[in-house]
Amino acid sequence: MAFQSPLLRLLEERGYIHQATDAEALDALASREIVTGYIGFDATAPSLHVGSLVQIMMLRRMQQAGHKPIVLMGGGTTKVGDPSGKDESRKLLTEDDIQANIASIRQVFEHYLTFGDGPTDAIMVDNDEWLGKLAYLDLLRTVGPHFTINRMMTFDSVKLRLDREQPLTFLEFNYMILQAYDFRELSRRAGCRLQLGGSDQWGNIVNGIELTRRMDGTEVFGVTTPLITTADGAKMGKTASGAVWLNADQLPAYDYWQFWRNTADADVVKFLKLFTDLPLERIDELGRLEGQAINDAKIVLANEATAMLHGREAAKAAAETARRTFDEGAAGGDLPTLNVPGGSIGIVSALTGLGFAASNGEARRKIGEGAVKLNGETVSDPQLEIAVGEEPLKISLGKKKHGLLVS
């Protein structure tokens, strides 16, 4: 269908929409009034990673289209654990750990959203505010009758775990009930009419819509994004060196810039639409570049994505460091740095310490392949012990990964 509301047109044009409940009614609602919508984020670590960025950008698009985003932090649901897409139970965190993670994660959202008290200003809420006060028997009596075990067993979050004969705890089994309760609670407290999420959250979203309708008679809506994968089929946000974190203290701006610079040719246009604010006309121009010129589009992607999260100056510094490193062979000051106590380190430990290899075995393989250089000289001995003096030493893995060893 041809959407009339700026919100759904924007989401569709940039590739965010996978599924929607009653898209026609949602389109009409968004055309006539400010829609409040939310996405939930559990606080399992001090930082979200780039796999969550499409959801953050969805909230940004809501605000850009004149609507009100809610960031729902799962202080309560983090105590339970979402089984969606997981092969094993989540490690349970303490109350203090969860609150510290929420405080850390908030810093990222402040780069993407404008928070405040205005009609379209974003707000952040914690579902522990209501989930933490629930009396178990009251929940079972008021919410439990609206869920059947038969239907819950059909949702992928449950079905896939059982099909693989992997344990699903009773604690996790309750997650979808609590998430549905969140939607109803936000509908009551904040007039929230829309829940957004990844495609793996479709079942949880539908549960929340049905619970809100049955208990309150309120019509609410859901929209999910497609699963964002790279051209080789890998899940967005995972690399050989680990997660691409959004907090600067978890991943330096230069490494973040490099992640986007290393985007596959086939992903550049898609990622420009999803993860930058560049106009679609400019993205179309970049999409017509061919051959080596496609690298210019990748640099634009890296600059824009990094500037949004870390600031324009950090993006410029990362781009300049990359240029000097690759074009001039220099050791740019913005490269990832590994401090070497005592002035000596093994080459394998240096590679893993910089995050260039996920394990000692991978580091040895890269050395055996001739992919590792120290100050421009190929390293062939995996037992090499490096003496680090006053001058930094530049260590490289292939043509794209460079770092410094300092004492």
Side-chain angles (χ1 to χ4, degrees):
M1 63 176 288
F3 293 121
Q4 302 302 310
S5 66
L7 173 62
L8 292 188
R9 283 206 309 269
L10 176 62
L11 294 180
E12 184 179 48
E13 288 170 351
R14 288 190 171 261
Y16 291 97
I17 298 179
H18 175 57
Q19 294 168 295
T21 64
D22 200 347
E24 186 175 351
L26 175 59
D27 189 38
L29 180 69
S31 295
R32 66 176 183 264
E33 64 184 69
I34 294 173
V35 173
T36 300
Y38 86 98
I39 300 178
F41 300 86
D42 280 349
T44 56
S47 173
L48 300 174
H49 61 68
V50 81
S52 297
L53 188 56
V54 70
Q55 311 306 331
I56 297 172
M57 290 299 296
M58 284 265 277
L59 293 174
R60 181 179 177 87
R61 301 303 183 209
M62 276 198 71
Q63 196 164 54
Q64 288 173 334
H67 299 278
K68 186 178 184 69
I70 296 177
V71 180
L72 177 66
M73 294 308 304
T77 42
T78 300
K79 299 174 184 177
V80 176
D82 182 2
S84 301
K86 307 294 191 304
D87 289 335
E88 58 186 23
S89 299
R90 176 189 290 170
K91 175 188 173 184
L92 296 181
L93 302 177
T94 67
E95 191 94 40
D96 288 345
D97 287 339
I98 292 171
Q99 291 307 312
N101 288 346
I102 289 175
S104 180
I105 289 170
R106 183 186 171 94
Q107 300 172 49
V108 166
F109 282 99
E110 290 172 344
H111 293 289
Y112 292 90
L113 300 171
T114 300
F115 288 86
D117 300 324
T120 64
D121 285 343
I123 60 172
M124 178 177 282
V125 296
D126 183 347
N127 64 12
D128 194 46
E129 183 179 339
W130 52 86
L131 295 183
K133 298 175 183 176
L134 287 175
Y136 185 60
L137 288 179
D138 289 342
L139 177 69
L140 289 181
R141 286 173 58 84
T142 58
V143 178
H146 298 287
F147 291 82
T148 66
I149 297 297
N150 313 60
R151 188 152 190 263
M152 293 171 75
M153 296 284 284
T154 67
F155 287 110
D156 285 345
S157 59
V158 173
K159 189 172 181 292
L160 292 177
R161 186 85 72 84
L162 297 180
D163 287 347
R164 293 170 183 160
E165 297 184 356
Q166 291 159 333
L168 177 73
T169 68
F170 181 70
L171 181 67
E172 293 171 292
F173 192 67
N174 282 272
Y175 188 93
M176 65 178 70
I177 296 177
L178 297 179
Q179 185 166 324
Y181 190 83
D182 281 346
F183 202 171
R184 194 212 69 162
E185 194 69 18
L186 285 172
S187 171
R188 287 185 170 185
R189 289 171 177 250
C192 185
R193 304 291 299 277
L194 174 64
Q195 183 181 359
L196 306 158
S199 57
D200 62 338
Q201 294 298 313
W202 179 250
N204 289 333
I205 292 173
V206 169
N207 277 329
I209 291 171
E210 292 182 354
L211 182 66
T212 304
R213 176 180 55 80
R214 290 175 182 176
M215 296 190 72
D216 296 344
T218 304
E219 184 181 28
V220 293
F221 304 92
V223 173
T224 63
T225 60
L227 176 65
I228 307 300
T229 58
T230 55
D232 61 3
K235 192 173 181 180
M236 180 77 176
K238 299 292 185 181
T239 69
S241 300
V244 181
W245 300 108
L246 299 181
N247 281 57
D249 58 354
Q250 299 284 320
L251 187 77
Y254 176 80
D255 290 342
Y256 190 75
W257 189 94
Q258 276 295 329
F259 167 77
W260 295 107
R261 171 61 181 83
N262 293 337
T263 295
D265 294 1
D267 290 328
V268 174
V269 170
K270 176 173 73 172
F271 287 178
L272 282 167
K273 289 180 178 180
L274 290 171
F275 301 115
T276 79
D277 284 343
L278 285 181
L280 293 176
E281 295 80 7
R282 174 61 174 147
I283 294 173
D284 288 340
E285 291 174 8
L286 293 169
R288 288 193 288 271
L289 297 177
E290 297 179 350
Q292 286 296 312
I294 194 69
N295 289 322
D296 294 337
K298 294 180 184 181
I299 291 172
V300 172
L301 170 62
N303 287 342
E304 294 301 313
T306 304
M308 195 177 293
L309 177 60
H310 294 285
R312 187 63 63 180
E313 289 305 313
K316 287 180 180 178
E320 175 60 16
T321 295
R323 186 192 68 77
R324 293 186 64 226
T325 301
F326 302 138
D327 296 348
E328 303 173 9
D334 205 31
L335 291 176
T337 300
L338 180 65
N339 290 303
V340 181
S344 178
I345 190 172
I347 184 67
V348 169
S349 297
L351 290 169
T352 56
L354 284 164
F356 292 175
S359 66
N360 291 345
E362 182 187 355
R364 294 188 188 96
R365 285 195 300 274
K366 295 298 183 183
I367 294 169
E369 294 166 1
V372 178
K373 291 185 178 181
L374 185 65
N375 276 0
E377 298 293 327
T378 300
V379 176
S380 57
D381 180 9
Q383 303 300 321
L384 176 67
E385 195 72 17
I386 305 169
V388 184
E390 293 183 4
E391 290 296 318
L393 297 179
K394 179 182 168 187
I395 187 169
S396 305
L397 175 62
K399 295 181 178 180
K400 296 181 178 179
K401 290 188 176 182
H402 305 272
L404 300 177
L405 301 178
V406 299
S407 61

